Amino acid sequence: MNVYDSERMLEAVSKTHKLVTSPNDADAILINTCHIREKAAEKVYSEIGKFSDLKRKNKKLKVIVAGCVAQAEGNAMLQRQPLIDSIVGPQMYQNLPNILLDESNKRNVLLEFNEREKFSKLGTKRNYASISSFITIQEGCDKFCSFCVVPFTRGAEYSRSVEEVVEEAKSLCKKGCKEIILLGQNVNAYHGAYKNKTQTNLAGLIKELAKIRKLERITYTTSHPRDMNDDLINLHQYNEKLNPYLHLPVQSGSDNILKNMNRKYTSKQYLEIIEKLRKKVPNIAISSDFIVGFPGETKKDFIETLNLVKEIKFAQSYSFKYSRRIGTKANRINCSLTEEEKDERLQELQMILNKQKIQYNKTFEGKEIEVFIRGKGKRDNQYRGTTKWMQSTIFESNKSIESDKVHLKIKSAMDNCLLGELI
Ligand code: 5AD
Ligand code: SF4
């Protein structure tokens, strides 16, 4: 979502400013930030410190902090880091043009939750488009999982209108986009309205988007198991443009921990969703997020997570050590695990998840598949792209590739990607 937000911020200021490749050439430096775990949040301060020489040399240089760290820490950031000129929370990016033009030395702090105005002012016309492009369709969250800062930093759940999303998608497709990744912290809770005020859900929105002729692939992230309704599950079977991929964070396999996390589903309910989906689309790529070392997680709880993983077999995953976040409910629960114990659990989990990823990717060996090219690889004649199962793929070509998509025969499945050969 921060990639999308950064593109939108650049578009918002494009009338007066253009992107430069080095901070040395900049009149303004915009730092977009993430507050989800402690490590990401702390990185911000060391990044800003790097600009002190530039600030000394150029008195007019503006350093602006955007994103969820800005939202969460607000004025305290200005006190901790004097180099910062302004702070802009995630729902206030529409004000960036004014902040950049403001010639007073005022330190602006904009932290309201004004998503309706934000999206209406940012508009639907896009400058940044690539073959696979993001569109935020829903922001914020009302779920209040006990470990998570999102409801505080991104605000209450908000869905953009159907027409707004469709217009933005058309604007991207005019510029060469062929795949749209729909974004939302709770994307499958989407409940957008048409201009005539009737509402639709994510399945309804995807059906509208699928009518855009130039659009070939659609995917969405991140979903919550509680909002995985039958409309959406069925759409995976019937809509050819919808990618056979689902990122559905389970977080833990222990019902006790899931309860304390306030996730409001059991491991059995999660398994049932996956079973239903696999009946419709047998080789669908299932991806998930995991947190190890949540306060009170016993050895037995952790083993239940491992058992769930072994039963489901994930195609992809992201796993994290629990990180205490101020203001969240879980921060009040005592954590008896040491960092070493959490590290050990994380390693054990990741070893199994990595093996599953390779096993899944191995089922593609020998198959011929279409890949959307995302750019050049590390070597001169190398290219990288993605499949519709969202696997990274690498291939070589001595001739330059004119098209933005190719057909590959998959030769082997590596740790992090598929290796293919041009057909
Ligand atoms: N500690 C560790 N991981 C977290 N996540 C969210 N909050 C925390 C936290 N406090 C993880 C969850 C979520 C992903 C985006 O980040 O797994 O799904
Ligand atoms: Fe955070 Fe996702 Fe839970 Fe919302 S549903 S509180 S975004 S983890």
Side-chain angles (χ1 to χ4, degrees), residues 134-406:
F134 295 117
I135 300 184
T136 290
I137 60 165
Q138 177 279 333
E139 262 200 78
C141 182
D142 296 339
K143 297 265 189 313
F144 288 91
C145 299
S146 64
F147 52 81
C148 184
V149 287
V150 166
F152 309 102
T153 54
R154 292 265 169 180
E157 218 174 274
Y158 170 77
S159 295
R160 297 177 72 190
S161 78
V162 177
E163 286 88 355
E164 206 175 299
V165 175
V166 171
E167 265 177 39
E168 193 169 323
K170 283 182 178 165
S171 166
L172 287 165
C173 290
K174 262 192 208 151
K175 290 194 152 73
C177 168
K178 292 190 170 70
E179 175 175 54
I180 282 178
I181 303 164
L182 301 172
L183 300 177
Q185 271 91 23
N186 232 233
V187 75
N188 58 341
Y190 176 85
H191 53 280
Y194 287 90
K195 270 188 190 138
N196 68 9
K197 304 261 191 298
T198 55
Q199 268 199 3
T200 191
N201 56 14
L202 180 60
L205 178 72
I206 292 171
K207 280 189 222 161
E208 293 291 348
L209 290 167
K211 292 180 194 161
I212 302 173
R213 202 177 41 84
K214 286 185 179 166
L215 187 59
E216 296 175 26
R217 293 184 190 170
I218 303 169
T219 188
Y220 57 94
T221 197
T222 290
S223 296
H224 192 288
R226 271 178 64 94
D227 295 312
M228 210 55 226
N229 57 44
D230 283 346
D231 282 355
L232 196 52
I233 293 176
N234 290 334
L235 203 67
H236 273 280
Q237 185 175 18
Y238 296 115
N239 197 303
E240 285 184 358
K241 293 191 179 181
L242 187 53
N243 286 356
Y245 168 86
L246 175 68
H247 181 62
L248 194 67
V250 64
Q251 313 295 1
S252 168
S254 150
D255 288 342
N256 191 26
I257 294 293
L258 287 173
K259 189 161 182 287
N260 292 343
M261 285 179 164
N262 194 30
R263 293 288 291 179
K264 297 203 170 87
Y265 55 82
T266 61
S267 54
K268 185 164 171 275
Q269 284 167 327
Y270 185 90
L271 278 161
E272 281 165 4
I273 297 170
I274 305 300
E275 249 171 48
K276 249 190 195 175
L277 268 159
R278 283 183 169 153
K279 271 199 189 127
K280 315 254 173 205
V281 188
N283 76 338
I284 187 167
I286 303 292
S287 159
S288 197
D289 288 345
F290 299 88
I291 297 178
V292 301
F294 182 82
E297 185 190 79
T298 61
K299 187 82 194 158
K300 182 171 167 282
D301 293 319
F302 177 62
I303 288 171
E304 282 172 11
T305 299
L306 297 182
N307 288 343
L308 176 115
V309 168
K310 286 174 195 160
E311 186 160 356
I312 290 186
K313 298 189 176 67
F314 291 92
Q316 269 190 47
S317 61
Y318 304 86
S319 41
F320 315 99
K321 270 193 299 180
Y322 169 72
S323 167
R324 303 174 71 108
R325 309 310 287 130
I326 293 168
T328 59
K329 247 188 169 170
N331 194 32
R332 285 185 243 144
I333 317 173
N334 261 344
C335 190
S336 54
L337 286 173
T338 63
E339 281 307 298
E340 288 71 37
E341 283 168 318
K342 283 195 229 167
D343 279 330
E344 267 172 35
R345 286 187 188 178
L346 188 63
Q347 268 181 27
E348 193 175 347
L349 173 66
Q350 286 182 341
M351 215 175 66
I352 299 172
L353 287 165
N354 266 338
K355 272 195 196 145
Q356 294 189 343
K357 185 176 177 182
I358 298 174
Q359 268 167 8
Y360 180 78
N361 282 344
K362 276 206 174 296
T363 63
F364 285 77
E365 284 178 353
K367 281 192 182 157
E368 294 182 1
I369 51 176
E370 182 195 66
V371 167
F372 282 2
I373 301 176
R374 297 278 194 110
K376 298 280 275 180
K378 282 191 187 131
R379 284 195 239 133
D380 268 356
N381 54 352
Q382 215 174 42
Y383 294 84
R384 47 183 186 82
T386 45
T387 68
K388 63 179 175 175
W389 296 267
M390 304 307 272
Q391 299 136 308
S392 300
T393 310
I394 286 185
F395 67 97
E396 292 188 352
S397 168
N398 292 325
K399 281 193 246 153
S400 74
I401 307 268
E402 302 298 328
S403 167
D404 49 9
K405 56 181 187 182
V406 287

